[in-house]
Amino acid sequence: MSIVFNEGTKTFHLFNREISYLMMVLPNGQMGQLYFGKRVHDREDFSYLYETLPRPMAAYVFEGEYSLSLEHVKQEYGVYGTSDFRRPAVEILQQNGSRLCDFRYKGHEIMGGKPKLSGLPATYTEKEEEAETLILTLEDPLTGAVLQLLYTIFAKGGILARSAKIMNGGTETLHLTTAMSLCMDLPDYDYEWLQFSGAWARERHLKVRKLEQGILAVDSRRGHSSHEHNPFIVLKRPWANEFQGEVIGFSLIYSGNFLAQAEVDTHDTTRVLMGIHPMGFDWKLEKGESFQTPEAVMVYSERGLNGMSQTFHKLYRKRLARGYWRDKARPILNNNWEATYFDFTEERLVEIAGKAKECGVELFVLDDGWFGERSSDRAGLGDWVANPKRLSRGITGIAERIEELGMKFGLWFEPEMVNKDSDLYRKHPDWILSTPGRNVSHGRNQYVLDFSRKEVVDCIYGMMEKILSEAKVSYIKWDMNRSITECYSAALPPERQGEVFHRYILGVYDLYERLNTQFPHILFESCASGGGRFDPGILYYAPQGWASDDSDAVERLEIQYGTSFCYPISSIGSHVSAAPNHQVFRNTPLNTRANVAYFGTFGYELDLNKLTEDEQEMVKSQIAFMKEYRELLQFGTFYRLASPFEGNITCWMAVNEEQTEAVVGWYRTLCHVNMPYTRIRLHGLNPDLCYEESGTGKTYYGDELMNIGLVTTDGMSGQAEENTGDYGDFGSRIYVLKAVR
Ligand code: DGJ
């Protein structure tokens, strides 16, 4: 990997074995974009890629000449209001009312490794040689505003991480109203746009659209990355698929309001913008102050969507997630939420936990309802003290009882929220986000604490810290169950209200960071009514997240499949729940529920006492299976093979690094009679190794499995007197393949 600057041609070349990124200083001093894609040779002069043509109706920068029209030039960090009419990367409101700026190249620095982004989650390096970073410094001479553009190229993988920092180096107060993390002008628009969208309990469904002149965008203005959209998009060539062809993934390491957008202009250039949503954003920069944007990561792959996903998985698993749990197989848990909801006593919990232990569960999680006056969602949030009517010896007592059973104990919190019926609210009614003189909307009877205020975060930290220091808590599920409305902080002056959304997220990150530091062995699982804040920002603090409140196995195929485009399998919280399912009332076989949940963190979301003895035996073998294969499933190389968004069959697989073991998950939504012969081609195996299929003892070479395929044909359904397991709706199979020679 290398970052080369050619002084004569003022061109920059960032490259590793897979990608090249080319830029140059334009004649007016702004930065121009020349190329991003597959690696090309380094050479002195790439300036031929800076193309200009005199065009009718264009506006030109230099008097008397007809070459530089910013509208027709690919740039690094575009500005609106001079001769570029596309959506901008940066906008600064000045005291005279103007929003124009003109950032000109001043200098640059190249350093080994990667600097930290203060207060923000970001990818990191452990050794300097893992990456190189270019810091470009530009200045707007009129206002004195300084712009730093950061580019980190990793030694391995087609990865480029980007962010921007804007400093007020002048004397007047500035208002930053747009500051994107990434602006990328691509030379054509022959792409399909992939987004991962949905709703509560229907998160991250893959949607594909074709780019055309105009704008495509996804965003969140809800204060969290949201169930509706994810801060991740993909541009893929129309001929690219899961296994081959060019794709570029764009991912924002941020958990708040975001915008991800592609604008195709009149001359077929595609401008991708990604960053904090400019709507309502207004950051006041006094003299000497600076603003750091979140980081955006671009991944280029010529090995199709699976190639891109594998690069993201590895990066986010190894160099975004941190701490004790980063590389550890995740404990198999039993959560009491769908088993009891708010209706539990200590004895009932111990009864559920006892059966869980007997089946092999390692961690028992006490969900909502253990604190304050919380017996429904109407009261108690904010009072993080155990309710003695439910837990006679508090959290310390129940944690001890669970530990005595031989399991670890985990606990649910919703730190950012408060009910009006709570001691915290009664004491500090001004601690919620609310706009003066306006109605304050509730969501699930709760209000959002103003996490932009340090004293609020301090108070919540104090309550959590007390419990965690006294009791043996090994896991925290951090929930967040409503979007932010009437966003306004009583502690900030009027001209700083445009900062509240971002300051709120900084407060969330601060609380996470303090807890991570103080309790490094606690495993954090993020949650926001399921998958409402499933984003890379949170992964930095919590290496796994509850993917959705929809725990039905068939629904989960789509949710987990969609999630896997960006996020590693080790981060996808997935459990077996009761049948009929509580969200869709569907009956799915117990084996299918587990076969789906294996491709995630795995656990149970039900009272195992309520299963029949046969079912309990099945659960024991499911847990034994997961214990044997969880490293492979969670940390192996993951391939999507057949999509639930395209047909009746879903298939995916994980292979270990040595390519000696693989687990294939095969799922059929609806059963049909007299079905065709079927095969599925596997990937990632060693063509020369011979693999044995566990259970049947059949053997195949890797090249057979990858070129001819694994035979998945069913028996003759529609005539059997009894279902031997293969037939029926929602059937599934797990194939385990082990190299024998
Ligand atoms: C929403 C979560 O997604 C559920 O798993 C559960 O923790 C409830 N909140 C509790 O209120």
Side-chain angles (χ1 to χ4, degrees):
M1 138 213 65
S2 207
I3 297 178
V4 178
F5 175 60
N6 192 292
E7 184 68 59
T9 56
K10 296 266 182 292
T11 50
F12 290 89
H13 187 189
L14 292 71
F15 60 93
N16 62 19
R17 266 193 233 149
E18 293 180 42
I19 52 168
S20 281
Y21 191 89
L22 294 166
M23 299 179 272
M24 73 176 279
V25 181
L26 297 173
N28 71 336
Q30 278 179 235
M31 288 304 301
Q33 154 62 219
L34 302 181
Y35 172 75
F36 175 51
K38 190 176 159 103
R39 157 85 193 265
V40 294
H41 285 101
D42 187 39
R43 51 182 289 192
E44 279 180 11
D45 191 2
F46 286 105
S47 58
Y48 70 94
L49 291 170
Y50 163 54
E51 291 183 280
T52 56
L53 282 178
R55 293 177 190 272
M57 273 305 288
Y60 295 97
V61 173
F62 297 114
E63 199 171 337
E65 64 93 78
Y66 296 88
S67 61
L68 185 60
S69 164
L70 291 170
E71 178 184 4
H72 300 295
V73 171
K74 292 176 267 305
Q75 292 164 66
E76 280 303 301
Y77 210 65
V79 170
Y80 167 80
T82 67
S83 55
D84 187 352
F85 299 94
R86 290 166 290 183
R87 299 289 162 103
V90 59
E91 197 160 64
I92 300 175
L93 176 61
Q94 296 139 54
Q95 269 176 4
N96 66 3
S98 158
R99 288 169 194 265
L100 283 192
C101 42
D102 177 7
F103 284 108
R104 300 189 195 160
Y105 172 79
K106 287 276 286 181
H108 70 270
E109 188 193 332
I110 296 170
M111 57 184 280
K114 184 171 189 294
K116 279 195 160 192
L117 302 189
S118 156
L120 282 168
T123 57
Y124 59 90
T125 51
E126 284 191 342
K127 296 188 196 123
E128 228 181 72
E129 58 268 29
E130 288 177 12
E132 247 180 49
T133 299
L134 166 68
I135 305 173
L136 286 177
T137 303
L138 298 98
E139 194 190 24
D140 177 30
L142 189 66
T143 58
V146 176
L147 167 68
Q148 281 194 337
L149 298 176
L150 269 77
Y151 301 81
T152 298
I153 182 154
F154 284 79
K156 289 189 190 145
I159 308 162
L160 196 76
R162 293 182 52 179
S163 68
K165 187 174 181 178
I166 293 106
M167 282 157 281
N168 185 351
T171 48
E172 67 168 274
T173 300
L174 303 173
H175 280 265
L176 194 56
T177 55
T178 299
M180 303 310 280
S181 301
L182 170 153
C183 175
M184 172 85 218
D185 286 350
L186 294 160
D188 67 86
Y189 75 105
D190 199 7
Y191 290 103
E192 283 170 355
W193 151 288
L194 277 58
Q195 66 186 61
F196 301 87
S197 302
W200 170 77
R202 195 157 35 81
E203 298 89 342
R204 292 173 300 286
H205 282 210
L206 169 64
K207 317 254 175 203
V208 184
R209 297 191 268 170
K210 175 86 187 79
L211 287 192
E212 275 301 341
Q213 191 176 335
I215 289 179
L216 278 186
V218 288
D219 68 0
S220 168
R221 283 158 286 133
R222 295 167 171 268
H224 55 116
S225 46
S226 89
H227 303 88
E228 285 70 17
H229 296 294
N230 198 261
F232 173 60
I233 55 149
V234 181
L235 294 185
K236 124 178 156 43
R237 293 297 188 188
W239 54 90
N241 60 25
E242 282 285 11
F243 307 103
Q244 59 201 12
E246 268 191 344
V247 302
I248 311 175
F250 299 88
S251 164
L252 184 68
I253 304 181
Y254 190 57
S255 311
N257 289 348
F258 75 91
L259 174 68
Q261 172 174 299
E263 176 175 3
V264 180
D265 70 13
T266 39
H267 296 99
D268 297 350
T269 301
T270 301
R271 170 168 292 178
V272 179
L273 287 176
M274 192 170 228
I276 293 178
H277 206 306
M279 192 171 162
F281 174 78
D282 181 342
W283 196 276
K284 185 176 176 189
L285 281 180
E286 301 276 19
K287 180 178 171 221
E289 285 181 350
S290 60
F291 181 83
Q292 171 66 56
T293 73
E295 178 167 291
V297 176
M298 306 196 292
V299 166
Y300 170 87
S301 158
E302 55 165 351
R303 293 179 299 113
L305 292 162
N306 270 313
M308 173 207 67
S309 299
Q310 287 160 8
T311 305
F312 271 117
H313 289 184
K314 207 162 183 186
L315 180 71
Y316 284 179
R317 205 158 48 68
K318 293 288 221 184
R319 293 294 179 266
L320 176 63
R322 303 171 295 166
Y324 178 81
W325 283 100
R326 187 186 76 177
D327 302 324
K328 295 209 167 41
R330 303 302 155 73
I332 295 167
L333 67 84
N334 189 179
N335 178 305
N336 76 307
W337 179 243
E338 290 196 16
T340 65
Y341 296 103
F342 289 114
D343 184 17
F344 63 84
T345 59
E346 183 164 333
E347 290 321 308
R348 179 99 170 78
L349 295 174
V350 173
E351 194 191 329
I352 297 171
K355 183 53 81 180
K357 170 66 192 166
E358 192 189 311
C359 293
V361 168
E362 299 159 312
L363 168 71
F364 178 77
V365 179
L366 170 53
D367 210 281
D368 196 352
W370 56 266
F371 49 90
E373 290 299 317
R374 185 90 166 160
S375 53
S376 74
D377 62 22
R378 297 194 161 268
L381 283 176
D383 297 341
W384 300 109
V385 177
N387 177 352
K389 285 178 251 155
R390 283 198 200 261
L391 303 168
S392 54
R393 289 197 302 117
I395 294 300
T396 315
I398 178 79
E400 268 172 21
R401 290 186 72 181
I402 300 298
E403 287 257 338
E404 274 161 21
L405 287 173
M407 279 187 294
K408 297 289 177 199
F409 176 74
L411 194 58
W412 180 97
F413 283 94
E414 193 174 1
E416 300 151 68
M417 300 291 159
V418 69
N419 287 113
K420 282 196 175 170
D421 188 358
S422 69
D423 291 343
L424 186 72
Y425 182 80
R426 282 184 279 273
K427 200 163 162 203
H428 298 289
D430 66 323
W431 276 13
I432 61 169
L433 292 170
S434 68
T435 307
R438 302 284 172 195
N439 172 60
V440 197
S441 314
H442 77 93
R444 208 191 185 206
N445 302 303
Q446 65 195 49
Y447 298 83
V448 186
L449 285 171
D450 182 356
F451 262 43
S452 74
R453 295 169 71 164
K454 187 167 176 306
E455 70 271 31
V456 177
V457 177
D458 286 348
C459 169
I460 300 297
Y461 174 77
M463 287 189 263
M464 293 178 79
E465 196 263 348
K466 185 166 183 328
I467 291 178
L468 302 177
S469 332
E470 287 169 3
K472 269 199 127 182
V473 178
S474 305
Y475 159 108
I476 288 178
K477 178 174 172 187
W478 177 320
D479 209 344
M480 193 273 188
N481 282 304
R482 61 159 292 184
S483 299
I484 296 177
T485 56
E486 295 89 24
C487 184
Y488 190 101
S489 170
L492 285 172
E495 74 277 14
R496 286 204 181 267
Q497 292 302 325
E499 301 176 14
V500 181
F501 270 119
H502 182 59
R503 285 187 185 275
Y504 176 90
I505 282 295
L506 293 181
V508 171
Y509 290 154
D510 176 38
L511 181 57
Y512 256 121
E513 184 69 33
R514 287 197 235 173
L515 292 167
N516 280 174
T517 311
Q518 186 66 21
F519 305 99
H521 295 111
I522 292 184
L523 171 61
F524 282 81
E525 175 150 353
S526 68
C527 175
S529 287
R533 202 160 61 185
F534 202 105
D535 59 62
I538 290 289
L539 261 189
Y540 187 69
Y541 307 96
Q544 61 190 59
W546 183 225
S548 178
D549 269 350
D550 192 339
S551 61
D552 173 73
V554 177
E555 301 284 302
R556 275 303 188 111
L557 287 174
E558 288 176 327
I559 294 166
Q560 291 175 212
Y561 197 91
T563 305
S564 78
F565 279 85
C566 184
Y567 304 101
I569 301 307
S570 57
S571 71
I572 303 178
S574 52
H575 301 165
V576 173
S577 61
N581 172 266
H582 291 194
Q583 292 81 42
V584 294
F585 305 102
R586 184 180 283 133
N587 274 300
T588 52
L590 181 54
N591 79 320
T592 290
R593 283 176 267 154
N595 291 348
V596 175
Y598 290 145
F599 288 81
T601 57
F602 201 70
Y604 291 83
E605 194 83 12
L606 75 170
D607 180 355
L608 294 168
N609 291 297
K610 299 223 164 122
L611 301 186
T612 64
E613 268 179 37
D614 283 353
E615 287 173 328
Q616 288 174 5
E617 288 310 309
M618 272 178 84
V619 167
K620 286 181 194 164
S621 22
Q622 291 170 353
I623 292 176
F625 174 86
M626 191 60 188
K627 285 181 181 166
E628 190 171 347
Y629 293 104
R630 61 184 152 184
E631 269 91 1
L632 190 166
L633 290 160
Q634 292 168 355
F635 305 130
T637 309
F638 179 79
Y639 289 87
R640 289 175 300 272
L641 302 177
S643 167
F645 298 106
E646 285 170 12
N648 198 33
I649 300 294
T650 302
C651 193
W652 51 41
M653 66 182 286
V655 191
N656 68 354
E657 216 176 304
E658 303 76 32
Q659 298 174 297
T660 52
E661 284 189 22
V663 177
V664 181
W666 179 95
Y667 314 87
R668 180 180 47 220
T669 307
L670 293 182
C671 187
H672 302 289
V673 180
N674 194 9
M675 287 178 284
Y677 303 111
T678 53
R679 295 173 192 173
I680 187 115
R681 295 218 279 187
L682 305 188
H683 282 261
L685 301 174
N686 182 332
D688 302 320
L689 287 181
C690 185
Y691 295 86
E692 184 178 300
E693 185 187 311
S694 303
T696 65
K698 291 180 189 164
T699 56
Y700 320 92
Y701 277 99
D703 59 2
E704 289 174 73
L705 291 165
M706 294 194 291
N707 296 305
I708 302 172
L710 178 73
V711 174
T712 55
T713 309
D714 292 87
M716 183 67 179
S717 56
Q719 287 187 342
E721 289 192 343
E722 169 187 352
N723 184 356
T724 48
D726 266 7
Y727 310 129
D729 292 343
F730 324 126
S732 68
R733 298 178 211 141
I734 291 288
Y735 297 91
V736 176
L737 298 157
K738 290 188 185 182
V740 282
R741 52 182 187 277

